[in-house]
Amino acid sequence: MDFRLPKMLAVIAMLPALQACNPAYYASSVGGHIKIVSSSQPVDRLLERRDTNPDLKERLAISREIRNYASEQLALPDNNSYRRYVDTGRDYVSWAVYSSPEFSVGLNTWCFPIYGCVPYRGYFSEQAAEKFAETLRKQDMDVYVGGVPAYSSLGWFDDPLMNTMVIRGDVYLAGVVFHELAHQRVYVQNDSNFNEAFAVTVEENGVEKWLRERGEDAVLKDYEAGLRRYKDFQILVAETRQELASIYASDISVEEMRTAKAREIERLRARYHQLRNGKWKGYRGFDRWFDEPINNAKLATISVYGDLVSDFKRLFDLCGGNYERFYGAVEYLAQVEKSEREEALQTASSCMAGGS
């Protein structure tokens, strides 16, 4: 199971102000992006070359179809993003570091010009990510480091297609291309939950539409079953976070709070096993996530990518499944004050009410 891993928003776009804030981090981001882009080659050229690996050529042909479909059928930006390919020589292009206080369900944020505040720091080096993570652990933070197969510069640069995207299969590739291009279509500063839920909605609806039109009925059935399992997983995590929030708001001692926290996390694992062995009939695709350490930061990453998806899907339906009207509604919501934006999304009674 490929989870909705964080899509790193590379902070590399002509931001001299950032250099004064953290020159080492800025230089690392710029250097990492330039290295990747400078090594990329046009997909069309690789498809024409006789010495291109046949398996890669097949994947690139599908990637070109997916990229064209994104603009022609999903009304996503028609630019040069994902029209060049690079093999990074690794399984992830970058790593994202998330952190939360020991007794909080919220994520810490970092703020950058243009991109605004986001709940993670991204690194092109796993070693650099782990080094930063360790500094946070020394501050008694709960920390989670996740590998990232793709990133977006929000249209400031032509983002490349990478081996980290194509090695996970055609369905994953389609999803990540649709997701990242959605960020280029609408992006709101300082509201990651809104941005990610919107992009996930475009991703999921787009993949379903693409598979349906290709006549991939069996693959579509598997994909939709996977979405249902992921929703079950999100519900488990959300319930645990609610229980943890109650624990953290109580007036018990620190040691009692740690004990209660550990107990709640073990209860989450037990409930997962019941779900896996019952409703899911032994499906074990989430075992690794549950077998590895779980903390506040890791739990919170799931909410960032899922809390508002059902609301966006409802808005999409209110817009008659028309992508241009849907994007118009989302752009309208993007102008609403953040304190009122979520409620406006959840209470919209028509596409026009969202603004189209």
Side-chain angles (χ1 to χ4, degrees):
M1 173 68 182
D2 278 308
F3 296 102
R4 276 161 187 70
L5 296 169
K7 279 75 176 178
M8 172 186 171
L9 303 177
V11 185
I12 53 180
M14 295 177 289
L15 303 176
L18 182 57
Q19 194 165 7
C21 298
N22 195 327
Y25 180 71
Y26 178 80
S28 175
S29 294
V30 172
H33 179 74
I34 290 175
K35 182 178 180 180
I36 289 171
V37 171
S38 63
S39 301
S40 67
Q41 301 180 62
V43 168
D44 288 345
R45 185 182 303 167
L46 288 168
L47 287 171
E48 292 171 358
R49 288 177 54 171
R50 295 181 178 180
D51 60 344
T52 300
N53 181 283
D55 290 338
L56 175 60
K57 185 173 288 191
E58 182 178 351
R59 291 176 179 177
L60 292 178
I62 293 174
S63 79
R64 184 168 63 179
E65 174 195 327
I66 289 169
R67 181 61 187 84
N68 291 336
Y69 188 89
S71 296
E72 294 169 3
Q73 300 298 322
L74 307 183
L76 290 168
D78 187 6
N79 53 32
N80 288 322
S81 288
Y82 311 115
R83 299 189 188 278
R84 297 177 65 88
Y85 173 79
V86 60
D87 187 339
T88 65
R90 55 200 192 199
D91 291 337
Y92 296 105
V93 64
S94 59
W95 289 262
V97 181
Y98 294 85
S99 71
S100 299
E102 183 181 6
F103 302 125
S104 171
V105 296
L107 285 166
N108 295 321
T109 60
W110 289 268
C111 300
F112 309 98
I114 297 180
Y115 295 85
C117 300
V118 293
Y120 55 82
R121 285 263 301 244
Y123 292 86
F124 283 107
S125 161
E126 184 176 14
Q127 182 179 8
E130 289 293 348
K131 182 177 180 180
F132 179 65
E134 188 56 31
T135 66
L136 296 173
R137 293 187 186 102
K138 289 179 180 179
Q139 299 173 38
D140 295 324
M141 294 288 176
D142 280 10
V143 180
Y144 174 63
V145 181
V148 183
Y151 68 89
S152 173
S153 61
L154 302 183
W156 287 90
F157 298 91
D158 294 329
D159 298 319
L161 181 73
M162 294 170 284
N163 67 299
T164 54
M165 298 162 67
V166 303
I167 61 175
R168 289 170 166 79
D170 300 343
V171 172
Y172 182 87
L173 174 60
V176 77
V177 168
F178 300 159
H179 184 113
E180 300 301 351
L181 289 174
H183 282 314
Q184 292 188 20
R185 182 69 196 242
V186 181
Y187 179 80
V188 186
Q189 278 197 356
N190 308 323
D191 199 339
S192 292
N193 283 35
F194 183 89
N195 293 326
E196 294 306 334
F198 161 66
V200 167
T201 299
V202 175
E203 169 190 338
E204 293 181 354
N205 286 356
V207 169
E208 289 177 329
K209 176 178 169 66
W210 180 65
L211 290 174
R212 191 175 298 112
E213 293 180 3
R214 283 169 58 92
E216 299 274 6
D217 295 340
V219 179
L220 176 60
K221 183 178 179 180
D222 287 343
Y223 179 73
E224 291 175 337
L227 293 184
R228 289 192 294 272
R229 284 192 295 266
Y230 196 83
K231 183 63 176 177
D232 291 339
F233 166 66
Q234 288 177 312
I235 290 172
L236 280 185
V237 170
E239 290 174 348
T240 296
R241 293 184 75 224
Q242 289 177 351
E243 292 297 329
L244 288 173
S246 297
I247 292 170
Y248 301 153
S250 66
D251 58 0
I252 60 178
S253 70
V254 169
E255 287 306 316
E256 289 174 321
M257 197 169 291
R258 288 196 181 115
T259 299
K261 175 183 178 180
R263 183 170 59 246
E264 194 59 41
I265 289 173
E266 287 310 307
R267 181 169 172 264
L268 169 63
R269 287 193 171 97
R271 291 166 61 222
Y272 163 65
H273 291 149
Q274 291 176 350
L275 177 65
R276 182 193 68 188
N277 299 330
K279 182 178 178 180
W280 288 1
K281 300 179 180 179
Y283 178 80
R284 307 179 69 90
F286 290 76
D287 278 9
R288 182 176 177 182
W289 193 93
F290 282 95
D291 289 343
E292 294 176 349
I294 298 174
N295 59 27
N296 294 327
K298 186 174 180 178
L299 292 170
T301 63
I302 306 304
S303 295
V304 169
Y305 285 81
D307 279 355
L308 299 177
V309 171
S310 61
D311 298 304
F312 275 107
K313 289 193 173 184
R314 187 178 65 85
L315 179 62
F316 182 78
D317 291 339
L318 289 172
C319 293
N322 182 291
Y323 281 91
E324 287 289 2
R325 294 187 67 212
F326 174 60
Y327 298 149
V330 176
E331 287 166 352
Y332 172 85
L333 288 168
Q335 302 305 313
V336 175
E337 289 294 328
K338 183 178 180 180
S339 60
E340 302 173 2
R341 188 179 299 135
E342 185 173 321
E343 182 180 358
L345 170 64
Q346 294 172 335
T347 59
S349 58
S350 71
C351 188
M352 290 302 296
S356 68

